[in-house]
Amino acid sequence: MTNASVLPGQPRGAVVSGRATARTINVLAPNPSAMTLDGTNTWIVAEPDSDLAVVVDPGPLDQGHLRNVVATAEKAGKRIALTLLTHGHPDHAEGAARFAELTGTKVRALDPALRLGDEGLAAGDVIRTGGLELRVVPTPGHTADSLCFHLAADQAVLTGDTVLGRGTTVVAHPDGRLGDYLDSLRRLRSLTVDDGVHTVLPGHGPVLEDAQGAVEYYLAHRASRLAQIETAVENGYRSAADVVAHVYADVDRSLWPAAELSVRAQLEYLREHGLI
């Protein structure tokens, strides 16, 4: 058995549906894959003594999953009052419109195309529902519209795909940009240093108990990959596909298309900074 204490971020264990913190319940979507890990984590967030809840990332358009989210909230004595999106990728957002129909809620997102209702989300917004407070943290990089939600009462942050519970995330070039992503990781690190955030509630994978360790690992990983790619280019590997085959040779080939997106973002970053 692997000792979780030595893994980045100290993952809690197996990914399961159920309570994660005093104010959050995970409902795991049935969409596991190499890219989605165990599946999408749909988060029900509410104050313990409130009958109102917020749902973050309803997930894919899977009727069984969407109804299970509603049923899980009702079993906990909660009525879903609002739906939030961390970003617009289908495994997080495709089911949002149908979920809004089931619950009668508005959908708030950074991207206007994903919203249902007049209100969007912006940096510094505080969502208040049934006594719950979630602060919007802009974290572009994985995608241009990526957001995290700071749940100060639980010393936690809901990270969508910006930080995963296992492995590292893709910078989805050209929408995602590495410079933005590095800035976002530093912004999350400041939450762990200055605002007492200890727990990562990710969009995929297990809950992480060491938020600062996870973010520091991500930053170190990106620096290492940048150095590897810079060296690969110096050694004559010019195209993104060639760089992937060289630098990611030990990675499952099924993940190479996603790796190529990150490589394109990293090559763009190195060119912008005059490093290649």
Side-chain angles (χ1 to χ4, degrees):
M1 180 178 293
T2 302
N3 183 357
S5 66
V6 302
L7 295 176
Q10 296 183 20
R12 185 173 292 180
V15 184
V16 294
S17 294
R19 186 162 296 282
T21 68
R23 291 166 178 79
T24 62
I25 298 172
N26 180 34
V27 183
L28 181 62
N31 62 332
S33 71
M35 290 298 292
T36 61
L37 304 181
D38 309 83
T40 301
N41 294 328
T42 294
W43 293 102
I44 300 171
V45 191
E47 284 296 312
D49 59 354
S50 173
D51 62 352
L52 299 180
V54 172
V55 163
V56 177
D57 289 351
L61 183 54
D62 181 295
Q63 296 284 353
H65 172 64
L66 299 178
R67 293 185 183 281
N68 187 28
V69 175
V70 175
T72 300
E74 290 176 345
K75 186 177 180 180
K78 312 294 184 185
R79 177 177 65 83
I80 297 165
L82 180 64
T83 302
L84 305 176
L85 297 177
T86 62
H87 66 296
H89 279 169
D91 55 313
H92 294 258
E94 186 182 38
R98 176 56 181 150
F99 189 72
E101 292 177 354
L102 291 173
T103 59
T105 61
K106 296 178 180 179
V107 177
R108 294 181 65 180
L110 179 62
D111 184 350
L114 299 171
R115 301 172 190 167
L116 291 174
D118 297 330
E119 289 186 286
L121 294 171
D125 282 354
V126 179
I127 293 93
R128 295 182 173 89
T129 302
L132 179 75
E133 290 193 358
L134 285 171
R135 181 162 64 87
V136 176
V137 182
T139 51
H142 169 66
T143 60
D145 70 328
S146 287
L147 299 170
C148 293
F149 298 101
H150 179 199
L151 178 57
D154 281 355
Q155 297 180 305
V157 61
L158 295 98
T159 56
D161 283 354
T162 299
V163 175
L164 305 178
R166 186 170 65 250
T168 56
T169 200
V170 173
V171 179
H173 183 271
D175 184 45
R177 294 175 57 83
L178 182 60
D180 291 342
Y181 186 63
L182 295 174
D183 287 343
S184 293
L185 290 177
R186 296 182 189 108
R187 192 170 296 119
L188 289 177
R189 181 172 58 186
S190 74
L191 287 182
T192 71
V193 174
D194 301 327
D195 295 284
V197 167
H198 298 303
T199 304
V200 172
L201 305 172
H204 304 279
V207 172
L208 299 178
E209 304 283 8
D210 177 15
Q212 185 174 350
V215 175
E216 294 287 1
Y217 171 77
Y218 266 56
L219 285 165
H221 172 78
R222 285 297 170 199
S224 175
R225 282 297 192 211
L226 269 175
Q228 288 177 308
I229 290 169
E230 186 176 0
T231 299
V233 172
E234 290 171 353
N235 290 333
Y237 297 92
R238 299 295 180 182
S239 72
D242 288 344
V243 170
V244 169
H246 178 67
V247 173
Y248 291 78
D250 60 341
V251 174
D252 187 329
R253 290 180 69 96
S254 69
L255 297 175
W256 281 16
E260 186 170 331
L261 295 179
S262 284
V263 166
R264 290 182 182 279
Q266 290 172 96
L267 290 172
E268 179 183 66
Y269 179 88
L270 290 169
R271 292 189 190 102
E272 288 175 348
H273 289 78
L275 299 173
I276 59 174

mmCIF file of all heavy atoms in Angstrom, residues 89 141-144 170-177 258 261-262 265:
data_model
loop_
_atom_site.group_PDB
_atom_site.id
_atom_site.type_symbol
_atom_site.label_atom_id
_atom_site.label_comp_id
_atom_site.label_asym_id
_atom_site.label_seq_id
_atom_site.Cartn_x
_atom_site.Cartn_y
_atom_site.Cartn_z
ATOM 1 N N HIS A 89 -15.550 23.051 -19.368
ATOM 2 C CA HIS A 89 -15.329 21.754 -19.998
ATOM 3 C C HIS A 89 -16.526 20.830 -19.749
ATOM 4 O O HIS A 89 -17.118 20.851 -18.664
ATOM 5 C CB HIS A 89 -14.038 21.120 -19.480
ATOM 6 C CG HIS A 89 -12.813 21.651 -20.163
ATOM 7 N ND1 HIS A 89 -11.532 21.402 -19.712
ATOM 8 C CD2 HIS A 89 -12.663 22.404 -21.280
ATOM 9 C CE1 HIS A 89 -10.659 21.976 -20.516
ATOM 10 N NE2 HIS A 89 -11.319 22.602 -21.470
ATOM 11 N N GLY A 141 -5.746 29.542 -16.772
ATOM 12 C CA GLY A 141 -4.541 28.802 -17.117
ATOM 13 C C GLY A 141 -4.881 27.441 -17.668
ATOM 14 O O GLY A 141 -4.534 27.118 -18.804
ATOM 15 N N HIS A 142 -5.584 26.623 -16.891
ATOM 16 C CA HIS A 142 -6.107 25.367 -17.447
ATOM 17 C C HIS A 142 -7.029 25.712 -18.611
ATOM 18 O O HIS A 142 -6.926 25.147 -19.699
ATOM 19 C CB HIS A 142 -6.841 24.585 -16.366
ATOM 20 C CG HIS A 142 -7.625 23.420 -16.893
ATOM 21 N ND1 HIS A 142 -7.028 22.333 -17.473
ATOM 22 C CD2 HIS A 142 -8.966 23.190 -16.943
ATOM 23 C CE1 HIS A 142 -7.959 21.471 -17.850
ATOM 24 N NE2 HIS A 142 -9.153 21.982 -17.545
ATOM 25 N N THR A 143 -7.928 26.641 -18.365
ATOM 26 C CA THR A 143 -8.727 27.304 -19.404
ATOM 27 C C THR A 143 -8.766 28.784 -19.052
ATOM 28 O O THR A 143 -8.449 29.182 -17.929
ATOM 29 C CB THR A 143 -10.167 26.767 -19.444
ATOM 30 O OG1 THR A 143 -10.787 27.008 -18.161
ATOM 31 C CG2 THR A 143 -10.213 25.280 -19.766
ATOM 32 N N ALA A 144 -9.198 29.594 -20.008
ATOM 33 C CA ALA A 144 -9.278 31.030 -19.752
ATOM 34 C C ALA A 144 -10.343 31.362 -18.709
ATOM 35 O O ALA A 144 -10.242 32.381 -18.023
ATOM 36 C CB ALA A 144 -9.566 31.777 -21.051
ATOM 37 N N VAL A 170 -3.759 19.646 -17.284
ATOM 38 C CA VAL A 170 -3.380 20.079 -18.617
ATOM 39 C C VAL A 170 -3.581 21.584 -18.741
ATOM 40 O O VAL A 170 -4.595 22.124 -18.283
ATOM 41 C CB VAL A 170 -4.238 19.356 -19.679
ATOM 42 C CG1 VAL A 170 -3.992 19.920 -21.068
ATOM 43 C CG2 VAL A 170 -3.967 17.863 -19.656
ATOM 44 N N VAL A 171 -2.631 22.257 -19.349
ATOM 45 C CA VAL A 171 -2.836 23.644 -19.773
ATOM 46 C C VAL A 171 -3.374 23.566 -21.194
ATOM 47 O O VAL A 171 -2.640 23.271 -22.141
ATOM 48 C CB VAL A 171 -1.527 24.452 -19.721
ATOM 49 C CG1 VAL A 171 -1.765 25.878 -20.193
ATOM 50 C CG2 VAL A 171 -0.964 24.454 -18.300
ATOM 51 N N ALA A 172 -4.684 23.773 -21.334
ATOM 52 C CA ALA A 172 -5.393 23.437 -22.568
ATOM 53 C C ALA A 172 -5.201 24.523 -23.628
ATOM 54 O O ALA A 172 -6.108 25.296 -23.931
ATOM 55 C CB ALA A 172 -6.867 23.214 -22.275
ATOM 56 N N HIS A 173 -4.010 24.572 -24.197
ATOM 57 C CA HIS A 173 -3.675 25.514 -25.265
ATOM 58 C C HIS A 173 -4.612 25.321 -26.448
ATOM 59 O O HIS A 173 -4.976 24.196 -26.770
ATOM 60 C CB HIS A 173 -2.222 25.248 -25.697
ATOM 61 C CG HIS A 173 -1.695 26.185 -26.732
ATOM 62 N ND1 HIS A 173 -1.837 25.945 -28.081
ATOM 63 C CD2 HIS A 173 -1.035 27.353 -26.623
ATOM 64 C CE1 HIS A 173 -1.273 26.919 -28.747
ATOM 65 N NE2 HIS A 173 -0.779 27.790 -27.892
ATOM 66 N N PRO A 174 -5.027 26.392 -27.136
ATOM 67 C CA PRO A 174 -4.615 27.796 -26.955
ATOM 68 C C PRO A 174 -5.464 28.575 -25.947
ATOM 69 O O PRO A 174 -5.112 29.690 -25.596
ATOM 70 C CB PRO A 174 -4.798 28.375 -28.352
ATOM 71 C CG PRO A 174 -5.949 27.608 -28.914
ATOM 72 C CD PRO A 174 -5.822 26.206 -28.370
ATOM 73 N N ASP A 175 -6.576 27.996 -25.495
ATOM 74 C CA ASP A 175 -7.413 28.697 -24.519
ATOM 75 C C ASP A 175 -6.661 28.862 -23.202
ATOM 76 O O ASP A 175 -6.695 29.925 -22.579
ATOM 77 C CB ASP A 175 -8.709 27.913 -24.304
ATOM 78 C CG ASP A 175 -9.669 28.629 -23.366
ATOM 79 O OD1 ASP A 175 -9.840 29.845 -23.529
ATOM 80 O OD2 ASP A 175 -10.239 27.970 -22.488
ATOM 81 N N GLY A 176 -5.975 27.813 -22.781
ATOM 82 C CA GLY A 176 -5.168 27.892 -21.576
ATOM 83 C C GLY A 176 -3.782 28.430 -21.880
ATOM 84 O O GLY A 176 -3.206 28.139 -22.929
ATOM 85 N N ARG A 177 -3.249 29.226 -20.953
ATOM 86 C CA ARG A 177 -1.927 29.827 -21.132
ATOM 87 C C ARG A 177 -1.083 29.567 -19.882
ATOM 88 O O ARG A 177 -1.547 29.707 -18.755
ATOM 89 C CB ARG A 177 -2.044 31.328 -21.385
ATOM 90 C CG ARG A 177 -2.719 31.677 -22.712
ATOM 91 C CD ARG A 177 -2.931 33.181 -22.860
ATOM 92 N NE ARG A 177 -1.688 33.931 -22.738
ATOM 93 C CZ ARG A 177 -0.827 34.124 -23.740
ATOM 94 N NH1 ARG A 177 -1.087 33.627 -24.941
ATOM 95 N NH2 ARG A 177 0.281 34.825 -23.547
ATOM 96 N N ALA A 258 -3.222 15.094 -24.842
ATOM 97 C CA ALA A 258 -3.375 16.118 -23.806
ATOM 98 C C ALA A 258 -2.031 16.735 -23.463
ATOM 99 O O ALA A 258 -1.922 17.960 -23.278
ATOM 100 C CB ALA A 258 -4.011 15.502 -22.558
ATOM 101 N N LEU A 261 -1.041 19.522 -25.746
ATOM 102 C CA LEU A 261 -1.622 20.834 -25.465
ATOM 103 C C LEU A 261 -0.756 21.596 -24.477
ATOM 104 O O LEU A 261 -0.469 22.788 -24.664
ATOM 105 C CB LEU A 261 -3.037 20.673 -24.902
ATOM 106 C CG LEU A 261 -4.095 20.063 -25.826
ATOM 107 C CD1 LEU A 261 -5.423 19.960 -25.088
ATOM 108 C CD2 LEU A 261 -4.258 20.885 -27.098
ATOM 109 N N SER A 262 -0.337 20.898 -23.414
ATOM 110 C CA SER A 262 0.530 21.553 -22.424
ATOM 111 C C SER A 262 1.873 21.940 -23.024
ATOM 112 O O SER A 262 2.422 23.005 -22.723
ATOM 113 C CB SER A 262 0.732 20.631 -21.215
ATOM 114 O OG SER A 262 -0.417 20.607 -20.395
ATOM 115 N N ALA A 265 1.555 25.074 -24.961
ATOM 116 C CA ALA A 265 1.482 26.214 -24.050
ATOM 117 C C ALA A 265 2.863 26.557 -23.500
ATOM 118 O O ALA A 265 3.215 27.740 -23.354
ATOM 119 C CB ALA A 265 0.522 25.901 -22.908
#
